[in-house]
Amino acid sequence: MAGKHRSWWGWGNVEDAVIGAEATALEDRVRPLLPNADLTEHLAPPVAELGLRPPRIDPPTSLARLCSVDPADRAAHTHGKAFRDVVRNLHGDVRDPPDLVVRPVTEQDVLDVLDWCAGRNVAVIPYGGGSSVVGGVEPRLGDAYPAAISLDLGRLDRVLEVDTTSRAARIQAGVFGPALENQLRPYDLSLRHFPQSFEFSTLGGWLATRAGGHYATVLTHIDDLVESMRVVTPAGTSQSLRLPGSGAGPSPDRLFLGSEGALGVITEAWMRLQDRPRWRAGATVHFSDYDEAVAATRVIAQSGLYPSNCRLLDPAEALLNAGVATTGGVLVLGFESADHPVAPGLDRAVELCRDHGGTLPEASRGDDRTGPRKGPAAAWRSAFLRMPYQRDALAARSMIVETFETACTWSQFPALRAAVHDAAGEALRAVAATGVVTCRFTHVYPDGPAPYFGVYATGRWGSTVAQWDQIKQAVSDALLAAGGTITHHQAVGRDHRPWYDRQRPDPVALALRAAKSALDPSWILNPGVLVDPAARR
């Protein structure tokens, strides 16, 4: 990211925004599907015109060196990167900025900041990389706190130790994905965790949200890559024992994985690493029948082949985001290994696809043994990483462009997909919008897929957030009613709380509130995520 500048209002870097020929091509893809869409572009206001409220608190002299009151800094730390965040920013709606952006340099700084905030009843919002799409980093607090800070660990960004024998490293939580991989490259090792937000998210954020990576099967959830964690809480510091596994009671790391900064601030972790892959092979398989495409994907997921990529795009998703017209969808397959050639695994997966009517168009297969990524899976990966930028471009053109992600069993999937389409269609009609609903599988397991639904719809400038909220309500209700989870890999935050409260067992809610009270007695840590501040004493 050298020489580039982060956008305060949208995804990623200003220099990488969708403009020119790419913007024209995007509009040309939208018009045939949604001919009534008003694609007039709207620009975000300059930070100087936002009228941010003044900071309501001054830091003590001992912490002032860590604190920023710069308007651009505060504006950029106000929201995450969900559709509703981007649209509010485009409208200049930054009504609840953090009063300070605080960047610790050491773990002791984190302790000192928490002590100061607890004493002053100041809310602490751990920021990670700020890529939350569920309201997880937003100081949405009402009048419950006199002030709020955004705690940005971006200066804690080093790989501190590497154990090459055990293939593990001790890593500070504020490191961004590219910087982490660059520090591991001299050892020819990799964490091999590549979420869509990889360039703009941190290790601590992945751990706090139980993130899922780009890979479709095995060792893709950050949970599986953790050896031990160090977490600073207002009640003390938790350091788990570094082990390959343990049966000694409930796992201490599991308490903090997925805690979204509500129980403590993750400062570092020992992470399991992998050798960098030397062999890769991939293919795209076309289907004429979607049910057969789903069946082929299930058989591969249950085969023990464990592809690195097994991403099924339904016909609408294939057309919109891959430019491929099919009646049954496209399955993007990829295999990789640091130890052995993977072409035989790909051959067997393709054979399973052919058993279900799958075909390989000409030049749809790539086999690269030693060089950089290429072929079909790599082409999809490039398009995948551009999607958030394209989302922003469409949001600025009055489009409603957002996603739902979930997981369910294979037996539940047909009914769940139908329920989502019905709920989304009814909600779109209710908000007077015309739209398309797409589906792709981001991850697959032997017992079920993780479907990722996209909504692309016409909106009314000035009303798209309200329109989206109504669609979100309807589809989220449908997901839970059909047996899906409210989130597979994007966390709960504040936006998913109503459905998480319904999904979570009552005894677990009691235990979570008790843990919150014990570890954060002043209830200052990320209020509103996971449990209600109303329970605060």
Side-chain angles (χ1 to χ4, degrees):
M1 293 190 289
K4 294 188 176 182
H5 305 86
R6 287 290 297 272
S7 170
W8 79 263
W9 66 267
W11 185 263
N13 296 315
V14 173
E15 294 81 2
D16 295 326
V18 174
I19 59 173
E22 185 182 7
T24 300
L26 183 62
E27 293 175 357
D28 290 344
R29 290 208 307 272
V30 169
R31 284 194 181 95
L33 290 169
L34 302 169
N36 296 325
D38 175 10
L39 298 181
T40 302
E41 183 180 9
H42 302 269
L43 301 178
V47 170
E49 297 178 8
L50 293 176
L52 297 183
R53 71 183 177 204
R56 298 168 295 179
I57 193 170
D58 294 318
T61 303
S62 60
L63 298 177
R65 62 189 171 84
L66 309 176
C67 300
S68 168
V69 294
D70 178 70
D73 216 2
R74 294 173 64 211
H77 283 72
T78 300
H79 297 140
K81 300 302 181 186
F83 168 79
R84 68 191 320 275
D85 300 328
V86 168
V87 174
R88 285 184 293 166
N89 288 346
L90 283 167
H91 284 284
D93 180 2
V94 193
R95 67 186 68 180
D96 293 312
D99 296 275
L100 304 171
V101 177
V102 183
R103 292 184 172 89
V105 178
T106 66
E107 186 178 279
Q108 184 60 51
D109 290 338
V110 177
L111 284 163
D112 293 343
V113 169
L114 293 187
D115 285 346
W116 169 61
C117 290
R120 297 292 300 273
N121 191 31
V122 173
V124 179
I125 315 294
Y127 184 71
S131 62
S132 171
V133 293
V134 293
V137 298
E138 181 178 345
R140 199 186 302 167
L141 306 170
D143 298 326
Y145 296 83
I149 69 160
S150 180
L151 188 67
D152 187 328
L153 266 60
R155 291 176 176 170
L156 280 75
D157 62 352
R158 292 187 298 128
V159 174
L160 300 173
E161 297 181 58
V162 178
D163 178 349
T164 55
T165 303
S166 305
R167 284 200 323 192
R170 181 165 71 97
I171 306 166
Q172 291 182 307
V175 66
F176 283 83
L180 168 57
E181 289 297 320
N182 287 339
Q183 291 179 71
L184 295 175
R185 190 165 283 108
Y187 303 93
D188 205 25
L189 294 170
S190 170
L191 182 61
R192 197 182 175 270
H193 184 77
F194 301 106
Q196 190 175 33
S197 62
F198 170 73
E199 189 176 1
F200 306 106
S201 54
T202 65
L203 173 64
W206 302 339
L207 295 168
T209 59
R210 296 183 66 194
H214 174 68
Y215 295 99
T217 63
V218 301
L219 298 181
T220 187
H221 271 278
I222 200 70
D223 313 38
D224 301 320
L225 306 179
V226 177
E227 203 173 51
S228 73
M229 288 169 56
R230 186 170 176 86
V231 186
V232 173
T233 82
T237 299
S238 172
Q239 171 68 68
S240 60
L241 189 61
R242 185 185 162 210
L243 293 167
S246 174
S251 165
D253 293 334
R254 292 284 171 180
L255 177 64
F256 296 106
L257 285 165
S259 63
E260 302 188 33
L263 300 181
V265 179
I266 300 166
T267 56
E268 63 181 59
W270 275 95
M271 303 298 297
R272 299 182 176 99
L273 307 178
Q274 299 177 61
D275 295 325
R276 292 185 175 272
R278 297 172 55 205
W279 286 271
R280 295 187 181 94
T284 54
V285 185
H286 292 199
F287 291 86
S288 59
D289 182 272
Y290 183 69
D291 290 339
E292 286 296 312
V294 172
T297 309
R298 175 180 57 80
V299 169
I300 292 171
Q302 295 173 344
S303 67
L305 292 170
Y306 302 125
S308 57
N309 201 349
C310 189
R311 200 172 301 263
L312 178 63
L313 319 180
D314 75 0
E317 179 76 18
L319 182 62
L320 276 175
N321 288 316
V324 177
T326 67
T327 56
V330 173
L331 180 61
V332 182
L333 286 170
F335 287 80
E336 65 178 40
S337 174
D339 177 72
H340 55 268
V342 293
L346 177 63
D347 289 341
R348 178 55 183 155
V350 168
E351 184 179 10
L352 294 173
C353 289
R354 286 186 170 131
D355 290 343
H356 292 273
T359 60
L360 271 73
E362 187 176 353
S364 69
R365 174 170 173 145
D367 191 349
D368 181 15
R369 294 176 180 270
T370 57
R373 289 183 180 91
K374 358 179 198 183
W380 162 256
R381 181 176 178 273
S382 297
F384 175 70
L385 295 176
R386 288 300 293 167
M387 287 177 188
Y389 289 103
Q390 294 176 350
R391 185 275 314 267
D392 285 5
L394 292 174
R397 290 163 171 80
S398 304
M399 291 282 292
I400 300 168
V401 184
E402 192 53 296
T403 57
F404 302 91
E405 46 91 28
T406 187
C408 62
T409 62
W410 289 110
S411 58
Q412 290 172 315
F413 174 67
L416 182 140
R417 180 172 181 258
V420 168
H421 277 263
D422 289 347
E426 186 175 338
L428 285 168
R429 288 188 291 274
V431 299
T434 303
V436 176
V437 179
T438 70
C439 179
R440 68 178 183 265
F441 292 164
T442 60
H443 305 76
V444 291
Y445 305 89
D447 51 342
Y452 196 96
F453 296 96
V455 175
Y456 303 82
T458 58
R460 299 184 304 277
W461 186 248
S463 301
T464 52
V465 168
Q467 289 175 297
W468 167 248
D469 286 347
Q470 193 166 336
I471 298 168
K472 172 82 170 178
Q473 173 81 40
V475 175
S476 297
D477 287 345
L479 286 178
L480 259 61
T485 175
I486 190 57
T487 180
H488 170 261
H489 59 259
Q490 288 183 345
V492 174
R494 292 165 181 83
D495 295 345
H496 283 157
R497 270 296 309 283
W499 298 278
Y500 172 67
D501 287 354
R502 288 157 54 186
Q503 178 178 329
R504 177 186 58 200
D506 289 341
V508 173
L510 290 173
L512 186 55
R513 291 189 186 100
K516 174 74 170 173
S517 294
L519 297 173
D520 180 22
S522 300
W523 286 69
I524 59 168
L525 284 171
N526 217 3
V529 302
L530 300 183
V531 290
D532 279 331
R536 178 173 172 244
R537 293 183 297 181

